[in-house]
Amino acid sequence: MSRTTPRVTIWNEYRHERSSPDVQRIYPAGIHEALREGLAPYGFELVTATLDEPEHGLPVEALARTDVLIWWGHRAHDEVDDEIVDRVQRRVLEGMGLIVLHSGHYSKIFKRLMGTSCALLWREADEKERLWVVKPSHPVAAGLPPYFELAKEEMYGEFFDVPDPDELVLVSWFEGGEVFRSGCAYSRGNGKIFYFRPGHETYPTYYNAHVLRVIANAVRWTADERGEAPRFGNAQPLETIALKA
């Protein structure tokens, strides 16, 4: 069973938009606000949080009422406090969904959950990106065409140093010839994680209807209710547990 109305926190570093006129022209209120506006028609409960807020906008109480956390970061990964990373990791393991966007691949939380460097090749060259749906039966692919294109994006290329995804939903091709695993689904503990590649800050990617559809689908997928939380520690004999049931 899925939650009727997922509670979503959109987290954004919010540095480029305040320091670069080019980025500010595209996202005048910040990437987080563009995402909130773009996802609003899907009926989610949406709040935002940014790096420079107290506790990065992610106090214990806020995370406790978050079903899905969307994460965008780039230039200030190292400024994210390790205590907050620990806090987010605990919530993911408990069952909170996590959607990591674009350069969030290098965030502390994504590297922590993947256990690898999460490094890749990249090139800023105003290249067309074609995203192919390679697992159309996956819930994140619902309502998408076989492929869609972004006129200009930053190139990410293989090798992408992440564990093999549990399910690979999208693959990108770029004009320079590179390909990239752009839609990667994982589970960690009782939580679900989706990494989605597009979203460089100098392009209007987060106004694209197909991009927003992927993120909205990922919200629903990562917010799915889980089964009963596993029990750990000293165990009673199975017969005793069965009798109590």
Side-chain angles (χ1 to χ4, degrees):
M1 182 178 68
S2 300
R3 294 182 177 91
T4 303
T5 306
R7 300 164 298 178
V8 181
T9 298
I10 303 168
W11 191 91
N12 177 27
E13 196 176 85
Y14 195 33
R15 291 289 179 80
H16 292 284
E17 303 94 316
R18 292 183 293 163
S19 61
S20 168
D22 290 338
V23 179
Q24 191 173 56
R25 277 193 291 272
I26 299 169
Y27 298 110
I31 287 172
H32 53 297
E33 290 296 341
L35 286 169
R36 176 157 65 173
E37 182 178 343
L39 293 173
Y42 289 91
F44 307 137
E45 293 182 19
L46 299 161
V47 298
T48 63
T50 58
L51 177 66
D52 292 326
E53 295 176 41
E55 299 184 76
H56 306 326
L58 300 173
V60 171
E61 300 79 12
L63 283 174
R65 58 179 179 264
T66 297
D67 298 318
V68 179
L69 176 62
I70 299 174
W71 191 282
W72 194 101
H74 184 199
R75 67 192 293 181
H77 297 311
D78 290 343
E79 295 183 39
V80 178
D81 191 277
D82 288 341
E83 182 179 347
I84 305 303
V85 177
D86 294 341
R87 188 179 296 172
V88 173
Q89 181 187 23
R90 283 194 298 270
R91 282 290 293 123
V92 172
L93 297 179
E94 291 168 357
M96 182 183 73
L98 177 66
I99 299 170
V100 177
L101 300 176
H102 190 59
S103 47
H105 73 90
Y106 232 29
S107 63
K108 286 183 178 180
I109 184 58
F110 192 61
K111 290 195 291 185
R112 172 84 62 85
L113 289 163
M114 295 296 103
T116 57
S117 74
C118 298
L120 47 78
L121 299 176
W122 59 272
R123 179 174 62 249
E124 292 187 49
D126 289 351
E127 294 184 42
K128 179 170 70 177
E129 177 179 4
R130 179 176 294 167
L131 292 106
W132 288 91
V133 176
V134 294
K135 193 173 180 63
S137 62
H138 195 280
V140 172
L144 294 176
Y147 70 86
F148 61 93
E149 294 182 347
L150 302 172
K152 293 181 180 180
E153 252 293 352
E154 179 183 28
M155 187 282 293
Y156 278 9
E158 297 287 349
F159 178 62
F160 185 20
D161 187 23
V162 291
D164 289 342
D166 297 336
E167 296 175 287
L168 181 61
V169 183
L170 294 144
V171 170
S172 288
W173 165 87
F174 296 88
E175 285 185 272
E178 289 86 359
V179 295
F180 189 78
R181 290 168 287 168
S182 287
C184 301
Y186 297 94
S187 62
R188 291 291 184 272
N190 213 36
K192 293 180 180 178
I193 302 167
F194 191 74
Y195 172 76
F196 186 41
R197 196 218 71 82
H200 189 61
E201 67 276 2
T202 59
Y203 305 109
T205 300
Y206 292 128
Y207 299 109
N208 181 279
H210 293 312
V211 168
L212 291 168
R213 180 62 183 260
V214 171
I215 297 171
N217 287 347
V219 166
R220 294 194 181 103
W221 178 70
T222 58
D224 273 352
E225 290 280 9
R226 313 301 192 271
E228 182 182 348
R231 295 188 295 267
F232 300 105
N234 190 28
Q236 301 179 45
L238 292 178
E239 293 83 358
T240 305
I241 297 173
L243 285 172
K244 287 184 176 180

